[in-house]
Amino acid sequence: MKKLFLYLTEFFAGMSVMAVELGASRLLAPYFSSSQIVWTIIIGTIMIAMALGNIYGGRTADKSPNPDKLYGRIIIAAIWIALIPVVGKYIIIGISALLIFAVNNNFLIIAAFAACMVIFVFPLFLLGTVTPSLVKYSVDNLDDNGKTVGTLGAFNTIGSIIGTFIPTFVTIPAVGTSVTFLIFAGILLALSIVYFINAHTGKKKIVASILIFALCCGFGYSDSFAFWENNLTYEGESVYNYLQVYENQDKVSLSTNVLFGVQSVYMKQDELTGMYYDYAMAAPLMLKDKEISDMDVLILGMETGTYATQCRKYFGDMNVEGVEIDEKITKLSRQYFSLSEDVPVTTYDGRAFLNASDKKYDVIMVDAYQDITIPFQMSSVEFFTLVKEHLNENGVMVVNMNMRGQKEGNINQYLSDTIGSVFGTEYTVDVAGSTNRELFASDNGEILKNLSNNISKLENQELKGMMTEVLADTVFYEKGDYILTDDKAPVELLGMQVIDEMIKDEVAYYKGVYKEEGLKGLLNSF
């Protein structure tokens, strides 16, 4: 019976480690993204903590083979994990606020690493002591020590597998990240309480830990990452994203990141968005002699359907369909963003959709983002070749690039050169008042001429003025040699470099104020 309990301890410890790791990614994602870089930081930091815990746990078990100390550490780890929903978001914002004035390069990487170190290293270090301690307590003789260690390893692995799937597919989508932390903290706490009750010891630890855990449940039960906002229409999580909907009398907006802008918008009146969607509406006008009713448009990265809704408003009932990997965003689009029910949306990855479909389109818009970076599989020569194969003759692809870099070899150069290696004609236009750039690509060399001719036929004066502005600002792109392929597409690193530039530009003013007037002047400038 004793061994079974030790095996169960290993099982739940393994399960909790993986649950905390996945919870870490969801806690950090709304602030720093869920890119491969952030995942690397999380995994690397946790592995360091676990390795140090293994060393410490083994040495401690050899010196003092008393399970009381192990289960005392598990209680501390459980309470720490339960505190994460209470204070974790404030720690992240605090660290970011401090570092943004001290760090000139790689801000997101350094801030994410610092937050991960402060929040997650200690409890994972404590859980790292579990396995070597249990080996010490479980092995009775050398004849069956291999079997015992193997069984412990199996229980840990099975627990880790379950701890991987349950948060991703059950608890985070159903009850959110905060409650997920509380659930697994509660499991660890219950495990330790059972031990101390059976051992007839640790009454003070039990009472104190239950009280602290109860307080954490009371104060940590919140799925609000933007805790400073008090008028959000909706805030929640899906399997893929943190989701925030904000509404005022003019528009409804969607954001998947609390720090970096708006990802989708619905205008309540018949007016332009003031965003890159307005510029992208030039794409249908780049077709020659094509009736609106006969036009087929595909949107890869549909989100809440802003582009589809605006095209329908200004051009009429063209055939529009979208692909959106996050089904919950599609549900929000029908609920809050008035996306028409007759606009079909397929829940799928954009590239996988093209691979599975033979249909061709007149316009394909590529607007797929994973947080703040383009998914690498939708940035390569192979992907844009696939898009081209799904365009009708003289069809047009429009790509939204959300970060304009200034340095040589920035992400937009890579994307533009990659697209230029696939398409014969390429034009770009910078979106006024934002960091977005729209790219139009086709094998038809006369798309600007077609745009000019079709602008003269527009009856809506607001749209006509907007399209005239787009035509005037659009420039021919001379392709270079920066190419992204399926084998090599470092879009996360390239994206982080541009974000560093943006943050540096934004913070420069406040750094100057602080240098000249000190903290008081800085506070007065906000």
Side-chain angles (χ1 to χ4, degrees):
M1 195 68 181
K2 174 188 172 184
K3 269 197 175 182
L4 177 60
F5 187 77
L6 296 178
Y7 290 150
L8 288 175
T9 300
E10 184 77 344
F11 171 82
F12 287 117
M15 183 171 67
S16 298
V17 167
M18 292 309 301
V20 170
E21 184 172 327
L22 289 162
S25 74
R26 296 310 295 262
L27 182 69
L28 297 176
Y31 307 96
F32 305 122
S33 88
S34 59
S35 68
Q36 188 177 25
I37 293 172
V38 175
W39 263 112
T40 299
I41 291 169
I42 293 170
I43 294 170
T45 303
I46 288 175
M47 288 180 72
I48 292 170
M50 294 293 291
L52 293 174
N54 288 164
I55 295 171
Y56 179 81
R59 289 179 178 177
T60 303
D62 285 340
K63 291 180 181 179
S64 177
N66 182 359
D68 287 11
K69 293 185 176 180
L70 170 63
Y71 287 95
R73 291 195 295 269
I74 293 176
I75 281 184
I76 295 172
I79 294 302
W80 188 287
I81 293 167
L83 283 167
I84 291 173
V86 182
V87 300
K89 291 167 256 188
Y90 302 98
I91 291 173
I92 291 171
I93 293 297
I95 288 172
S96 299
L98 290 172
L99 289 177
I100 201 166
F101 288 98
V103 175
N104 291 320
N105 296 302
N106 300 317
F107 165 75
L108 285 183
I109 296 174
I110 295 171
F113 178 75
C116 208
M117 288 290 291
V118 171
I119 298 171
F120 296 105
V121 163
F122 184 64
L124 272 300
F125 166 80
L126 294 177
L127 291 179
T129 68
V130 172
T131 297
S133 299
L134 291 180
V135 170
K136 183 72 174 181
Y137 308 147
S138 302
V139 174
D140 297 322
N141 59 75
L142 295 179
D143 293 334
D144 64 352
N145 67 329
K147 176 184 175 182
T148 301
V149 172
T151 304
L152 283 170
F155 271 81
N156 182 278
T157 301
I158 295 169
S160 298
I161 293 169
I162 295 174
T164 301
F165 284 97
I166 288 180
T168 301
F169 295 105
V170 182
T171 60
I172 290 176
V175 295
T177 302
S178 296
V179 177
T180 296
F181 280 121
L182 293 172
I183 288 171
F184 286 93
I187 290 172
L188 290 174
L189 184 59
L191 188 72
S192 298
I193 289 173
V194 169
Y195 168 80
F196 282 113
I197 289 174
N198 287 333
H200 304 292
T201 186
K203 290 182 180 180
K204 291 182 179 179
K205 292 179 182 178
I206 293 173
V207 173
S209 61
I210 290 174
L211 287 174
I212 296 171
F213 181 73
L215 288 173
C216 291
C217 290
F219 290 102
Y221 179 70
S222 170
D223 59 359
S224 178
F225 288 86
F227 51 83
W228 55 88
E229 298 280 4
N230 55 15
N231 58 348
L232 294 177
T233 303
Y234 172 85
E235 188 177 24
E237 297 176 79
S238 69
V239 172
Y240 297 98
N241 291 295
Y242 158 78
L243 302 168
Q244 179 189 105
V245 177
Y246 170 80
E247 183 175 3
N248 60 27
Q249 61 183 4
D250 300 317
K251 62 186 179 181
V252 186
S253 303
L254 171 76
S255 178
T256 57
N257 188 292
V258 300
L259 297 179
F260 296 99
V262 171
Q263 279 69 51
S264 198
V265 67
Y266 168 69
M267 307 304 294
K268 293 182 178 180
Q269 309 300 325
D270 289 337
E271 57 187 24
L272 296 171
T273 65
M275 298 172 65
Y276 67 88
Y277 304 103
D278 302 343
Y279 289 69
M281 283 198 292
L285 299 175
M286 292 178 173
L287 301 172
K288 184 178 181 180
D289 301 329
K290 189 77 175 185
E291 292 293 331
I292 291 297
S293 58
D294 296 331
M295 195 176 294
D296 292 316
V297 177
L298 174 66
I299 305 167
L300 301 177
M302 184 71 159
E303 289 195 329
T304 63
T306 300
Y307 188 62
T309 300
Q310 291 298 98
C311 284
R312 286 282 192 91
K313 276 184 181 179
Y314 284 95
F315 295 133
D317 290 333
M318 59 172 55
N319 303 315
V320 185
E321 63 180 288
V323 180
E324 171 56 53
I325 197 169
D326 194 333
E327 187 177 16
K328 197 162 187 176
I329 289 182
T330 302
K331 291 179 180 178
L332 292 177
S333 72
R334 310 289 189 192
Q335 184 176 357
Y336 297 109
F337 294 82
S338 299
L339 181 64
S340 177
E341 292 291 342
D342 67 349
V343 175
V345 181
T346 303
T347 304
Y348 218 32
D349 171 80
R351 181 164 174 174
F353 175 85
L354 293 180
N355 279 321
S357 172
D358 295 324
K359 185 176 179 180
K360 293 195 174 185
Y361 302 86
D362 299 296
V363 174
I364 296 179
M365 182 182 189
V366 180
D367 190 20
Y369 279 86
Q370 179 182 341
D371 298 313
I372 52 180
T373 56
I374 294 174
F376 89 92
Q377 74 273 15
M378 296 182 71
S379 68
S380 63
V381 169
E382 292 86 347
F383 168 70
F384 291 115
T385 300
L386 191 60
V387 172
K388 182 177 177 179
E389 291 171 354
H390 283 76
L391 283 171
N392 289 322
E393 185 178 2
N394 295 326
V396 177
M397 176 184 72
V398 54
V399 179
N400 173 48
M401 299 186 290
N402 74 343
M403 296 180 291
R404 290 205 300 269
Q406 304 301 322
K407 292 183 178 179
E408 180 68 20
N410 62 70
I411 189 169
N412 284 346
Q413 272 187 284
Y414 268 95
L415 287 169
S416 301
D417 290 356
T418 300
I419 293 167
S421 70
V422 176
F423 288 87
T425 301
E426 190 176 7
Y427 289 92
T428 63
V429 57
D430 290 343
V431 178
S434 81
T435 60
N436 291 78
R437 173 177 292 166
E438 298 307 288
L439 183 149
F440 303 94
S442 177
D443 279 342
N444 180 3
E446 297 187 338
I447 56 175
L448 274 199
K449 180 181 177 181
N450 294 338
L451 174 60
S452 179
N453 291 337
N454 286 322
I455 287 174
S456 63
K457 302 174 186 177
L458 293 174
E459 296 180 1
N460 184 289
Q461 293 304 307
E462 185 186 23
L463 180 62
K464 190 171 185 177
M466 182 73 251
M467 293 299 99
T468 300
E469 182 181 330
V470 172
L471 179 63
D473 294 341
T474 297
V475 296
F476 181 79
Y477 184 81
E478 294 283 354
K479 66 180 180 180
D481 298 320
Y482 293 103
I483 305 297
L484 298 169
T485 67
D486 283 350
D487 182 60
K488 186 181 179 182
V491 290
E492 290 93 353
L493 285 174
L494 293 169
M496 289 290 184
Q497 290 171 8
V498 179
I499 290 171
D500 273 344
E501 292 178 35
M502 293 164 56
I503 292 173
K504 197 180 297 183
D505 291 341
E506 290 291 329
V507 175
Y509 167 75
Y510 296 104
K511 281 186 175 180
V513 172
Y514 178 74
K515 187 176 181 180
E516 294 180 10
E517 303 177 34
L519 183 60
K520 185 177 180 181
L522 180 63
L523 293 173
N524 290 334
S525 68
F526 287 105

